[in-house]
Amino acid sequence: MQFCLKCLTISNRDGKILSTKDLFDVFQKQKRNFISTFIAYCYLKSKGWIIKSGLKFAGDFLLYKEGPQAYHSSYVVTVQDDNPENTDQIPFTGRDLQGFHRVAEASGKDVLILTVRYPKGFNSQDFKFQDNAFRDFSVTESRPMRFTFNPNVI
């Protein structure tokens, strides 16, 4: 709301109003892949999904068509990225996917994997959080089915 709609002000404990850059710096310190997660969130919102935390189901997000009070969530979402600076990201293996599917299936959800593609030459030190900051990023959706993969192949 602060970044997209400019209708929210957030202040620190001293009462200083934080700029968008200050907020994003704080968020990046709290969450290693914040840029990817934020881009994925904006992508899903642009498609009309109601989004909640997916932590309970080992994912990043849960997606609802009309909200949690109307229906159960349709998807549990995990966000991956190809950020060259993210050297500590553990690759998503077939075994991980199999476990993720089991959790989702047991709760009546489908799996959605979003991969955030970073622009060539991306450098987080030079990155500025402004209105057009994310135009060079892209998002790819994958909806793997449990029966379509071999855990030893991925």
Side-chain angles (χ1 to χ4, degrees), residues 9 19 22-23 59 62 89 106 108 111 120 133:
T9 56
S19 69
D22 294 337
L23 284 171
L62 294 177
Q89 180 173 302
V111 171
K120 289 190 188 321

Side-chain angles (χ1 to χ4, degrees), residues 49-65:
W49 289 102
I50 307 295
I51 305 167
K52 300 293 181 186
S53 171
L55 188 61
K56 182 177 178 182
F57 297 97
D60 292 302
F61 304 120
L62 294 177
L63 300 184
Y64 295 84
K65 291 179 183 173

Side-chain angles (χ1 to χ4, degrees), residues 5-153:
L5 301 177
K6 313 282 191 255
C7 66
L8 178 68
T9 56
I10 300 173
S11 54
N12 65 12
R13 291 183 181 157
D14 300 328
K16 177 188 172 230
I17 294 177
L18 299 173
S19 69
T20 300
K21 182 188 180 329
D22 294 337
L23 284 171
F24 277 51
D25 287 345
V26 169
F27 298 153
Q28 278 189 281
K29 288 177 186 163
Q30 296 295 314
K31 185 165 179 66
R32 170 188 53 76
N33 66 339
F34 172 73
I35 293 174
S36 299
T37 305
F38 182 74
I39 290 169
Y41 179 87
C42 292
Y43 173 80
L44 294 167
K45 285 302 275 183
S46 76
K47 291 188 161 275
W49 289 102
I50 307 295
I51 305 167
K52 300 293 181 186
S53 171
L55 188 61
K56 182 177 178 182
F57 297 97
D60 292 302
F61 304 120
L62 294 177
L63 300 184
Y64 295 84
K65 291 179 183 173
E66 294 186 30
Q69 69 280 8
Y71 295 100
H72 289 288
S73 60
S74 300
Y75 292 99
V76 60
V77 179
T78 186
V79 177
Q80 301 289 300
D81 66 45
D82 69 353
N83 181 356
E85 295 181 352
N86 194 359
T87 56
D88 63 338
Q89 180 173 302
I90 300 168
F92 205 62
T93 67
R95 195 164 290 238
D96 295 332
L97 187 56
Q98 190 174 33
F100 196 51
H101 259 285
R102 285 186 179 173
V103 170
E105 204 171 81
S107 55
K109 298 167 191 4
D110 289 323
V111 171
L112 177 62
I113 299 171
L114 296 181
T115 303
V116 177
R117 306 264 179 229
Y118 279 63
K120 289 190 188 321
F122 176 80
N123 181 342
S124 61
Q125 302 302 323
D126 298 334
F127 188 69
K128 307 252 185 306
F129 292 98
Q130 53 201 20
D131 289 338
N132 63 357
F134 302 106
R135 71 173 181 258
D136 295 329
F137 291 80
S138 64
V139 178
T140 304
E141 293 183 22
S142 300
R143 291 187 185 105
M145 303 309 280
R146 186 169 181 206
F147 55 85
T148 61
F149 69 91
N150 178 343
N152 298 318
V153 174

